Amino acid sequence: MQRRKLFAVALAGVLASGGLAACGDSPNEGNKKAGSGATFLTVGMPNGPQTENHNPFLTTSAGASLGYRWMIYEPLLMWNPVKPAEPSRPWLATGAEWTPDFKKATITVRDNAKWSDGKPVTGDDVAYTFNLIKKNEALNLAATPYGDISASGNTVTVTFTSSMFVYKDKWLGQTPIVPKHIWEGIKDPTTDPNKTPVGSGPYTLKSFTPQTTTLTVRADGYWQDLPQVKELRYTSYTDNNAQTTALSDGSNEWSFVFIPNYKTVFIDKDPAHYKVWAPPVLGIHGLYINTTKAPFDNVALRKAMSMVVNREDIFNQAEAGYFHPLVTSVTGLPSPAGDAYVAPEYKGKTQAVDVEGAKKVLTEAGFKLEGTTLKDPSGKPVKITLTDPSGWSDYQTSLEIVKDNFAQIGIAATVDKANQDAWFRNVEEGKFDATFRWTNGGSTPYDIYQTIMDGKLLKKIGTASPGGNFGRFNSPEATAALAAYANAADDAARTTALNTIQKIFVEQVPMIPVGADNIGMAYSTKNWVGWPDDTNPYSAGQPTQANALDVVLHLKPANS
């Protein structure tokens, strides 16, 4: 799953100079007092200036960063990660049937859907989309093991070289389907900005600027009832602070953003209408370590680093005590979502700060602490650069805490406040020492560990691996165990494989787990109602997820 938290970057000067406020199409200015007369919805993300790119497959495109790709392009089924065990609902497909080994899917494409240019959506379009991903490794972010793909009328048959048990819901629910008659004319689908997007969704592109992208509802041809929101205005704010200000003054109505002191700075501004909903998922975030770089290729050093990280400080100070619930299990599995999966040998075993224990581990591995400087077995001082985008305030605070933690065992850390685009590239290409980042999430722990340890995603330094294994962890045993879990024929075999995976994770520390993830939102009910919440968690709330389309379709004008 694309990060549930595309937080921010620097947009120096645009907001500070009043660039957005001066614009005649200021975000949601009309909706502030619109009440039941609202016709448009403002959506925001703190991701800085965007380059025009509506390519639905690229994680770095504006469409993905802000989330509007899902209003233009649709998945086959609608999967709800808040309630992952529930069956997916029909969407562009009326259903999908799997063989018992999950190596073959037969999909029935609905016969009443049309592309925004009026042409019908067909089985050939769906088959073409999957073949496009299969033939372009850069688009196959999850390394989906495609076999033969064919279409006959509205029936699409897809085979796989290995079981899709752990992927099936996300594959059907998070793959944007594109029109063959448009994309077969695109020379390079891995880089094309797709500036005139044609999709099956209820919205089309109206205008684009680096700050605001506007979509308008289709006049006709959508396969289900059109949304009551006639226009969507996506604004990319400077950083978390600018996004929070826009939420609190009513100029923005829907975002996924970390808000320190969220009650005081946001909810208390309008308690009747301002809400925060942060439903947890079976995914985590933590400090990825580049395991190819000496001395961090030494497992003893990684163990010691994990032993001194103060997770409670990060939760309380950096995450405001709510945003990323504390992960305490040594397995990295969040509670309660992951409790049932913890291997017997690790039940009840939790993380705790142990500086003296960390020093002992280092000494036994040949490291020496000389004064306040840790030296590796070759005699070189241990230095590390901790990096995350400058505007991601919670991650920046987390890095400062980790910097102080590492100093206790003599590691000299530098915090790099990176540009978002550069950070994404460098992390995906393995050009970093350590960074806070998230994992994928799913209905089992597989997605967590696969993001961190899967050798199928292992690339050489300098080659992008957007699907995971950012730390270039090379463990054939972990890769084999992940494959065994994914292809297991029964629960017993699956449990055996998962226990092996956890053992490798605990003993080799490819990543330092810190907190659980969520796919929630900050939002306003002043103009629009029908949002998901604890009483009706019909969808994820994050506007960058595929489920965002389902949310918009549920919205109705307030007091209507």
Side-chain angles (χ1 to χ4, degrees):
M1 184 187 294
Q2 152 89 8
R3 161 68 171 164
R4 296 159 278 268
K5 176 180 120 166
L6 293 177
F7 274 161
V9 288
L11 175 55
V14 174
L15 287 176
S17 64
L20 285 175
C23 176
D25 194 25
S26 181
N28 213 32
E29 186 66 29
N31 265 6
K32 285 186 182 181
K33 300 179 181 179
S36 62
T39 59
F40 61 88
L41 171 71
T42 54
V43 190
M45 288 296 288
N47 294 346
Q50 300 293 306
T51 300
E52 185 168 13
N53 191 320
H54 315 300
N55 190 318
F57 299 114
L58 304 184
T59 59
T60 54
S61 72
S65 177
L66 302 182
Y68 63 81
R69 61 171 169 169
W70 297 112
M71 304 298 158
I72 299 173
Y73 297 95
E74 298 180 287
L76 292 168
L77 300 181
M78 190 59 69
W79 175 64
N80 182 5
V82 178
K83 303 180 77 173
E86 288 189 350
S88 298
R89 292 185 286 116
W91 209 258
L92 266 189
T94 57
E97 298 293 332
W98 291 89
T99 53
D101 62 1
F102 293 97
K103 290 184 178 181
K104 180 180 178 181
T106 302
I107 301 162
T108 302
V109 181
R110 66 175 56 256
D111 59 11
N112 62 332
K114 292 183 179 180
W115 300 109
S116 57
D117 64 2
K119 296 183 182 298
V121 176
T122 68
D124 283 340
D125 293 312
V126 175
Y128 174 82
T129 299
F130 292 141
N131 271 311
L132 185 70
I133 296 170
K134 174 185 176 181
K135 294 174 181 177
N136 291 274
E137 185 178 1
L139 302 183
N140 193 4
L141 304 186
T144 302
Y146 287 109
D148 295 329
I149 304 167
S150 62
S152 177
N154 274 23
T155 300
V156 179
T157 303
V158 186
T159 64
F160 303 90
T161 58
S162 59
S163 171
M164 285 288 285
F165 173 78
V166 296
Y167 293 121
K168 57 184 176 60
D169 293 311
K170 292 199 297 182
W171 174 65
L172 289 167
Q174 297 180 349
T175 302
I177 303 302
V178 299
K180 178 181 179 181
H181 67 278
I182 299 291
W183 283 76
E184 63 185 355
I186 293 177
K187 183 177 180 180
D188 186 353
T190 68
T191 61
D192 193 277
N194 187 35
K195 290 190 176 182
T196 309
V198 173
S200 64
Y203 292 93
T204 58
L205 179 68
K206 179 179 180 181
S207 63
F208 175 88
T209 73
Q211 287 77 47
T212 301
T213 302
T214 302
L215 307 184
T216 187
V217 73
R218 288 170 58 167
D220 54 40
Y222 188 49
W223 60 270
Q224 58 180 321
D225 290 341
L226 287 169
Q228 296 188 43
V229 179
K230 302 306 178 186
E231 189 169 281
L232 292 167
R233 301 178 184 179
Y234 288 83
T235 296
S236 193
Y237 293 92
T238 312
D239 54 21
N240 288 4
N241 290 335
Q243 175 66 77
T244 299
T245 297
L247 286 165
S248 64
D249 69 18
S251 59
N252 192 254
E253 300 170 284
W254 184 20
S255 181
F256 179 70
V257 60
F258 171 66
I259 308 175
N261 303 314
Y262 70 97
K263 187 175 185 299
T264 300
V265 303
F266 175 51
I267 291 179
D268 287 350
K269 301 296 183 182
D270 187 352
H273 300 111
Y274 290 175
K275 314 289 183 182
V276 167
W277 186 53
V281 294
L282 199 54
I284 65 172
H285 80 140
L287 192 70
Y288 283 83
I289 302 168
N290 193 326
T291 62
T292 68
K293 285 192 172 185
F296 309 108
D297 56 348
N298 189 315
V299 67
L301 178 58
R302 300 199 299 270
K303 284 183 179 179
M305 291 163 66
S306 181
M307 292 170 71
V308 299
V309 169
N310 194 317
R311 294 164 176 82
E312 290 190 3
D313 281 354
I314 291 172
F315 175 59
N316 291 315
Q317 297 174 30
E319 301 298 345
Y322 86 100
F323 200 71
H324 284 291
L326 189 64
V327 167
T328 59
S329 172
V330 294
T331 65
L333 295 181
S335 182
D339 291 348
Y341 297 99
V342 175
E345 65 179 305
Y346 298 123
K347 287 188 180 297
K349 293 189 177 181
T350 58
Q351 305 279 6
V353 175
D354 185 1
V355 176
E356 294 306 313
K359 290 178 179 178
K360 182 179 179 182
V361 168
L362 291 169
T363 299
E364 292 175 349
F367 289 80
K368 293 182 179 180
L369 184 60
E370 298 181 359
T372 59
T373 301
L374 181 68
K375 293 188 176 180
D376 67 22
S378 71
K380 294 180 180 179
V382 178
K383 300 179 181 180
I384 191 169
T385 298
L386 310 172
T387 183
D388 273 294
S390 60
W392 297 7
S393 57
D394 65 327
Y395 273 11
Q396 286 295 323
T397 302
S398 298
L399 294 182
E400 292 292 344
I401 292 171
V402 169
K403 175 183 176 180
D404 291 342
N405 296 158
F406 285 172
Q408 296 178 86
I409 53 174
I411 298 175
T414 301
V415 173
D416 171 47
K417 297 182 177 181
N419 167 273
Q420 181 196 3
D421 290 343
W423 177 83
F424 267 108
R425 287 194 301 271
N426 288 336
V427 171
E428 291 180 357
E429 293 177 4
K431 297 177 180 177
F432 68 97
D433 291 346
T435 184
F436 265 87
R437 201 189 191 282
W438 53 93
T439 69
N440 290 334
S443 55
T444 74
Y446 174 86
D447 300 81
I448 293 175
Y449 295 123
Q450 191 258 354
T451 309
I452 300 167
M453 300 193 294
D454 195 354
K456 290 192 299 182
L457 303 175
L458 184 63
K459 307 292 184 183
K460 64 181 180 180
I461 299 294
T463 299
S465 179
N469 203 343
F470 310 111
R472 271 53 183 178
F473 183 65
N474 189 359
S475 169
E477 184 183 9
T479 302
L482 285 163
Y485 182 89
N487 291 283
D490 53 52
D491 288 341
R494 211 167 277 123
T495 298
T496 298
L498 184 58
N499 291 349
T500 299
I501 293 166
Q502 291 181 42
K503 186 176 182 65
I504 296 168
F505 182 83
V506 172
E507 294 184 351
Q508 298 192 34
V509 199
M511 179 259 228
I512 298 174
V514 172
D517 221 333
N518 83 77
I519 45 176
M521 59 181 171
Y523 63 104
S524 171
T525 62
K526 184 175 182 179
N527 298 303
W528 299 98
V529 296
W531 304 92
D533 57 21
D534 284 334
T535 66
N536 186 19
Y538 64 83
S539 173
Q542 186 174 333
T544 60
Q545 296 296 304
N547 311 80
L549 173 57
D550 195 22
V551 173
V552 170
L553 288 167
H554 274 79
L555 297 182
K556 299 178 180 180
N559 304 315
S560 61

